[in-house]
Amino acid sequence: MISVKNLQVFRARKQILKIDQLKVAAGEKISLLGPNGSGKSTLLRSLALIEPESLQAVFYNSRDANWQIGYLMQEPYFFRGTVEENLVLPLKLRKIPERIIKKKLWEFTEKYELESLLRKNPKVLSGGEKQKINLLRTLIYEPFYLFLDEPFTGIDALTKKELNKYLQSYLEQEPGRILIYVSHELKELLKWGKRFWYLKDGEIKFDLLKEEFLKLNEHVVDNYLQLLFEE
Amino acid sequence: MEFIWEGIKESIRLILTGDPELYQILHLTLKVSLTATLFAAIVGLPIGAFLGRKKFWGQKVILGIFNAFLGLPPVVVGLWLTMFLWRSGPLGNLNLLYTPKAMILAQFCIALPEVIVFTAVAFSQISENFFRQVKALGANRSQQLYLLLKEVRLGLLAAVIAGFGAAISEVGASLMVGGNIYQETRVLTTSILLEVGRGNFGLAIGLSIILMLISFIVVGILTYWQRKGY
């Protein structure tokens, strides 16, 4: 479980995030939406304990939560080295024995058809391949908490379908896993979320279940939401 | 044109015959420049890293000063160091003037801004996304530092090589604080200057080819590492 209490993030003397209280229970799947600059990425990073302000405001009920967090950035960063080195890095950081790392890598290579990519420099990969490796680099250490920041933006439909499949099966493996998914596409938001957070000007304007969220369509007043539903 | 050919032949002869004077000069050249580079790296890498990463008031001014020092004429460094190390100067009691130690000090002063500026550039090019990614993958503080150093290692290597290049190629400062004393403070650059003055173009060209060879070998090693490490 995750609980947030009085989370405030300031940048350049301006408050960009203000969350009084928030709770996420095991198994929850949340879609996070909001206009650009509303603080979605900052909230996601805070939940992932990346923003320094989160350390006094975001709490997990497990001790080794830090190892259990999977956060996918909009623009993935790849370290110097090969795809393989990038892929197994989180396992090495967790000091997993080499024997198990090799086994895991072999499993992943077979399951996700990575043979042709492993020796490549990640910088030469296509956009879709980058996102695939980015997602797999997170799934490889089996995080309990998944925070995905527009993970499949700008990739072709075929790759998106493939990656959606991987994510779907990962979540089904262990229903207790928590997902918070950021997107600007209604289709994606509805696919993943059972609960919806709408963030605007750094504050959560609503926190609704799927049925309630869909009802908003009938009497929506906000421009962003209006356009979202029109799509 | 004859003397150019003579120079090339002379350099081959000097290397192949194991000319003791040449090897003594070569040994001192490498000793002075590598020691100066080592100290410049020890001092310059942390300063460069700090200036490249930390944002603080006056950071740009300090970096600007070091940038300006990149164009510092070695002869000016030599002049100031000579004044400081002069018998009646502030550091005169150390008796360093006209010793290899004074030359190391001079080359250290020349290499230091190179190391600092190149290191600062290498660190400043690391994006915020890098730090987010390492934290996202669960790296603890020492692992974050390790990954950061791994990421900038080629930039740091370039910084050290730039420092070495500046140190080994300068002549003005070494000549002033070293005095170009036979078998004591004579290095490749000061020898070339001396031989040209004597009209021994053959030997001067020979020495210059050897100096270039050292530079090429070092740059070659750097290029090899860069290609290997992507």
Side-chain angles (χ1 to χ4, degrees):
Chain A
M1 195 170 95
I2 314 167
S3 56
V4 179
K5 248 187 193 163
N6 196 21
L7 171 67
Q8 299 195 48
V9 179
F10 290 83
R11 291 291 174 267
R13 289 182 194 166
K14 199 182 155 220
Q15 186 161 42
I16 57 166
L17 196 63
K18 186 180 182 296
I19 310 284
D20 296 331
Q21 210 168 15
L22 209 54
K23 274 191 166 57
V24 184
E28 285 209 82
K29 310 286 181 275
I30 299 164
S31 279
L32 174 57
L33 61 149
N36 286 332
S38 57
K40 299 186 298 297
S41 297
T42 313
L43 174 57
L44 221 53
R45 282 198 300 273
S46 300
L47 292 170
L49 304 176
I50 292 169
E51 295 292 342
E53 291 86 346
S54 61
L55 301 176
Q56 280 87 37
V58 179
F59 309 94
Y60 284 81
N61 64 347
S62 58
R63 277 196 187 157
D64 60 343
N66 211 22
W67 295 122
Q68 293 292 330
I69 294 170
Y71 166 65
L72 240 70
M73 299 198 293
Q74 264 170 349
E75 289 168 36
Y77 188 95
F78 292 105
F79 303 94
R80 281 187 197 281
T82 59
V83 166
E84 180 181 325
E85 284 164 342
N86 271 275
L87 201 58
V88 299
L89 179 68
L91 300 177
K92 291 201 165 168
L93 294 174
R94 283 160 182 75
K95 300 195 166 62
I96 307 281
E98 200 61 37
R99 170 177 59 83
I100 298 173
I101 293 180
K102 271 192 184 148
K103 196 170 156 248
K104 194 93 192 172
L105 182 68
W106 185 81
E107 266 177 38
F108 263 52
T109 311
E110 291 289 302
K111 192 173 171 187
Y112 302 112
E113 296 165 13
L114 299 175
E115 192 61 56
S116 60
L117 300 178
L118 287 180
R119 305 265 163 254
K120 283 189 179 169
N121 177 353
K123 291 187 173 101
V124 304
L125 299 182
S126 71
E129 287 170 336
K130 276 183 185 163
Q131 288 298 4
K132 178 176 174 175
I133 299 302
N134 190 29
L135 177 67
L136 295 179
R137 180 171 64 176
T138 299
L139 300 188
I140 203 167
Y141 61 92
E142 299 178 8
F144 189 77
Y145 311 93
L146 263 183
F147 306 124
L148 311 187
D149 196 350
E150 299 184 48
F152 309 140
T153 307
I155 55 174
D156 65 81
L158 206 63
T159 316
K160 195 183 270 188
K161 197 176 165 193
E162 184 190 354
L163 300 188
N164 273 330
K165 201 176 81 189
Y166 298 164
L167 182 60
Q168 184 84 51
S169 84
Y170 179 77
L171 292 170
E172 281 166 3
Q173 265 172 34
E174 153 92 69
R177 284 172 179 156
I178 287 173
L179 171 76
I180 302 181
Y181 193 101
V182 172
S183 178
H184 285 294
E185 285 179 39
L186 187 65
K187 205 176 145 195
E188 283 194 13
L189 293 166
L190 292 173
K191 177 178 169 58
W192 298 109
K194 291 196 170 59
R195 185 177 165 190
F196 292 76
W197 290 347
Y198 179 49
L199 204 65
K200 201 180 171 189
D201 303 323
E203 289 183 50
I204 292 193
K205 297 292 177 191
F206 65 68
D207 176 358
L208 301 172
L209 291 174
K210 195 169 186 174
E211 304 75 47
E212 298 166 317
F213 174 71
L214 285 169
K215 277 183 197 158
L216 277 181
N217 193 8
E218 295 154 20
H219 50 86
V220 65
V221 281
D222 187 300
N223 280 345
Y224 177 81
L225 288 173
Q226 199 172 2
L227 285 170
L228 189 79
F229 281 119
E230 271 175 23
E231 276 171 26
Chain B
M1 289 302 285
E2 183 68 15
F3 63 89
I4 296 176
W5 179 236
E6 282 302 315
I8 293 167
K9 279 202 290 189
E10 181 66 14
S11 66
I12 294 167
R13 188 193 68 76
L14 283 172
I15 295 169
L16 293 183
T17 56
D19 183 78
E21 193 186 333
L22 172 78
Y23 279 92
Q24 193 266 325
I25 291 172
L26 197 58
H27 176 248
L28 185 69
T29 305
L30 286 173
K31 190 176 126 186
V32 167
S33 297
L34 287 174
T35 313
T37 310
L38 177 70
F39 283 118
I42 291 169
V43 178
L45 291 176
I47 295 175
F50 182 78
L51 288 173
R53 277 308 319 156
K54 291 278 171 198
K55 301 270 175 281
F56 60 92
W57 191 86
Q59 176 213 24
K60 283 187 178 160
V61 178
I62 297 174
L63 256 177
I65 292 169
F66 282 117
N67 265 320
F69 276 139
L70 287 181
L72 194 67
V75 96
V76 175
V77 175
L79 171 69
W80 280 90
L81 272 180
T82 305
M83 290 192 298
F84 270 80
L85 300 175
W86 201 256
R87 198 170 293 165
S88 53
L91 301 174
N93 56 352
L94 295 175
N95 285 326
L96 286 179
L97 201 59
Y98 306 129
T99 65
K101 281 181 185 159
M103 294 162 76
I104 291 171
L105 189 61
Q107 293 193 1
F108 166 80
C109 293
I110 290 158
L112 187 64
E114 304 268 347
V115 177
I116 289 175
V117 170
F118 275 74
T119 306
V121 169
F123 274 93
S124 65
Q125 280 172 347
I126 296 291
S127 68
E128 209 45 54
N129 264 2
F130 165 85
F131 293 96
R132 286 173 181 161
Q133 189 70 73
V134 288
K135 282 184 192 168
L137 293 178
N140 61 33
R141 286 193 79 88
S142 57
Q143 288 173 330
Q144 286 175 25
L145 182 68
Y146 168 75
L147 288 171
L148 175 63
L149 290 176
K150 212 174 148 198
E151 208 65 5
V152 293
R153 71 186 193 277
L154 294 178
L156 302 189
L157 204 61
V160 173
I161 296 298
F164 176 74
I168 201 170
S169 62
E170 72 80 29
V171 59
S174 287
L175 192 64
M176 287 183 93
V177 301
N180 198 21
I181 302 165
Y182 176 62
Q183 288 195 339
E184 276 185 44
T185 58
R186 189 162 294 171
V187 285
L188 278 168
T189 50
T190 57
S191 305
I192 292 168
L193 205 66
L194 181 75
E195 297 307 331
V196 171
R198 284 173 175 168
N200 290 337
F201 283 101
L203 189 57
I205 292 171
L207 292 169
S208 74
I209 288 170
I210 291 162
L211 185 60
M212 282 197 301
L213 274 178
I214 295 175
S215 297
F216 287 162
I217 288 167
V218 173
V219 172
I221 291 169
L222 170 74
T223 315
Y224 173 73
W225 279 348
Q226 270 181 328
R227 284 200 183 149
K228 218 178 145 199
Y230 293 113

